[in-house]
Amino acid sequence: MVQLEVVRSANATLVKSQPLVAVFVGGTSGIGEFTIRALAATHGKEGKGLRLYIVGRNSSAAEKTISECKSVCPEGDFRFVKANDLALLNDVDRVCDEIIRIEEGIKADGGSARVDLLNLSQHYFPLTFEPRSDTKEGLDNSLSLLYYSRMRFVIKLLPLLLASQLPAHIVSVFAAGKESNIFPEDLSLRDPKHYGFANARSHAVHMKTLFMETLVEKHRGRLSFIHVFPGLVITEAFNDGRLPTWFRLVWRVATPIARPFSLSGQEIGDRVLFLATPRFPPRQALDDTKREGSSATEGDVGIATGTDGNRGSGAYAVGSDGETVSTEKAYMKVRQEGLAEKVWSHTMKAFEEIEAGKTFTG
């Protein structure tokens, strides 16, 4: 486990390194909110400048978070961008267009238009026995939130991410290292025999890793992707109104039992923020990805090992303790079978067809 004092020291160094521009999708509650608060608290003590976008549906929750963040980080510029339904890629595009418009306005006024940190935590976790539920765009609602919507944010904000001098870090909060089944001929899980919580989770994890490995390879030295499994964190997600009443009642009873085994909001916020530090660098020159050790600027924990088994390879799977999860064996066969290329083509086709106003059926 990466010790919490090391995490917080690295976070303090991060906010002192340069002014930061951050986008938090799903930031009005849960782990996204906890990480926003961690960034505001850390920045308020030692930061150089902060512009932060909170993307979510709950405007009153966002206003409360912004007010409390301003109290500890009065110099921060906190902005709320309202989403309607982030399972819909058209809504993702609308939100991104609003962020791009604001950043272009800042550039026109002599500022720097960019995104240094993109944190993605929008989600809905269906129970095992729930049937597939498609959006009007043809994507499964849960799989869209866990994968397609998140990757669409990355693609739409890519010019701003590439403008970062940090360089940019993309953090996706979900089930890193929880790969199981993958159906290469049914990536969208349209076959009812394939659909279910475990397979939806596994497909989201597989596709996200392979898509982002492809993207960081295309933009060496410019992007770092970190997929994190946060462990048990007690959030309002367990009280989601879309979950059955019986489940919410059972969870209410189970919460006191589960709490000692969970991470606090403050700790998980600090640990997710830690993923934007230099321990997780972008992929550099080909002959540099197997490097050992670390330089003094990388702190006490060294450069992380990527999802391909090499240090500093630009795409990382991380556990709740801040240590990387070994995933290379899970991908060995599917890499050889060309699944990365298939995932990229499948995803970009979905984006293109939905953007053109079609219903995706792939």
Side-chain angles (χ1 to χ4, degrees):
M1 172 181 283
V2 180
Q3 297 301 308
L4 200 51
E5 58 267 27
V6 174
V7 166
R8 290 172 175 159
S9 175
N11 292 348
T13 300
L14 172 69
V15 301
K16 289 187 289 187
S17 65
Q18 66 171 59
L20 297 176
V21 180
V23 176
F24 282 80
V25 183
T28 56
S29 65
I31 294 172
E33 178 195 349
F34 295 147
T35 310
I36 289 169
R37 292 179 181 275
L39 178 53
T42 305
H43 185 277
K45 297 174 184 176
E46 304 182 80
K48 282 192 171 183
L50 176 63
R51 183 163 65 252
L52 190 150
Y53 297 90
I54 301 175
V55 177
R57 294 178 297 173
N58 192 330
S59 56
S60 59
E63 290 169 3
K64 180 175 184 290
T65 298
I66 289 172
S67 175
E68 293 174 1
C69 286
K70 291 286 286 185
S71 69
V72 297
C73 183
E75 301 302 317
D77 178 2
F78 299 89
R79 304 177 184 229
F80 175 57
V81 181
K82 182 170 175 52
N84 297 316
D85 183 358
L86 292 177
L88 297 175
L89 301 193
N90 283 331
D91 198 41
V92 173
D93 289 355
R94 180 190 59 79
V95 167
C96 289
D97 288 343
E98 176 66 9
I99 294 171
I100 292 167
R101 182 190 64 79
I102 295 171
E103 286 297 303
E104 288 178 344
I106 289 170
K107 183 177 181 179
D109 291 337
S112 173
R114 68 187 193 280
V115 171
D116 302 306
L117 170 61
L118 174 60
N119 188 284
L120 303 159
S121 59
Q122 69 271 37
H123 67 274
Y124 171 60
F125 304 145
L127 297 181
T128 302
F129 50 81
E130 288 188 45
R132 177 186 172 97
S133 174
D134 277 11
T135 70
K136 63 184 180 181
E137 296 173 338
L139 300 173
D140 172 63
N141 183 75
S142 177
L143 197 51
S144 180
L145 287 168
L146 295 174
Y147 175 65
Y148 297 98
S149 169
R150 298 188 186 202
M151 297 304 96
R152 185 62 175 175
F153 267 102
V154 174
I155 292 298
K156 287 290 289 185
L157 295 178
L158 189 58
L160 292 176
L161 291 162
L162 294 176
S164 172
Q165 298 301 307
L166 193 56
H169 283 61
I170 301 160
V171 176
S172 179
V173 179
F174 187 45
K178 302 301 178 182
E179 294 85 355
S180 56
N181 293 331
I182 183 72
F183 302 98
E185 304 307 320
D186 185 21
L187 293 175
S188 296
L189 292 176
R190 297 192 183 277
D191 186 337
K193 295 178 181 178
H194 294 160
Y195 189 80
F197 170 73
N199 286 343
R201 178 182 70 176
S202 183
H203 270 231
V205 175
H206 274 98
M207 292 197 291
K208 201 177 301 179
T209 296
L210 294 171
F211 187 88
M212 288 306 305
E213 283 184 349
T214 301
L215 199 63
V216 298
E217 173 64 26
K218 289 176 179 289
H219 301 283
R220 284 174 175 262
R222 311 287 295 283
L223 297 173
S224 177
F225 170 73
I226 307 94
H227 192 191
V228 60
F229 172 62
L232 177 59
V233 181
I234 296 176
T235 73
E236 284 304 306
F238 292 102
N239 296 314
D240 192 311
R242 292 170 291 184
L243 293 171
T245 302
W246 69 262
F247 177 86
R248 285 177 278 147
L249 291 174
V250 169
W251 176 249
R252 189 176 302 171
V253 173
T255 298
I257 301 171
R259 194 173 298 280
F261 304 98
S262 68
L263 290 180
S264 69
Q266 181 179 1
E267 180 171 351
I268 193 61
D270 286 333
R271 289 192 177 278
V272 173
L273 179 58
F274 174 64
L275 305 178
T277 67
R279 187 190 187 200
F280 306 94
R283 189 177 185 87
Q284 300 293 344
L286 186 61
D287 60 358
D288 197 33
T289 58
K290 296 184 182 293
R291 55 189 170 172
E292 298 290 334
S294 63
S295 69
T297 60
E298 287 145 6
D300 299 326
V301 291
I303 295 171
T305 299
T307 51
D308 63 356
N310 293 318
R311 288 183 182 270
S313 60
Y316 308 91
V318 180
S320 59
D321 59 359
E323 299 288 357
T324 53
V325 180
S326 178
T327 61
E328 58 268 26
K329 290 183 180 179
Y331 290 92
M332 186 177 300
K333 182 178 179 182
V334 296
R335 289 186 205 282
Q336 294 171 351
E337 295 173 348
L339 185 60
E341 293 81 2
K342 182 173 288 190
V343 166
W344 180 268
S345 297
H346 165 86
T347 307
M348 297 308 290
K349 182 179 180 182
F351 291 169
E352 290 164 6
E353 291 189 3
I354 292 171
E355 187 174 6
K358 299 178 182 178
T359 300
F360 184 61
T361 59

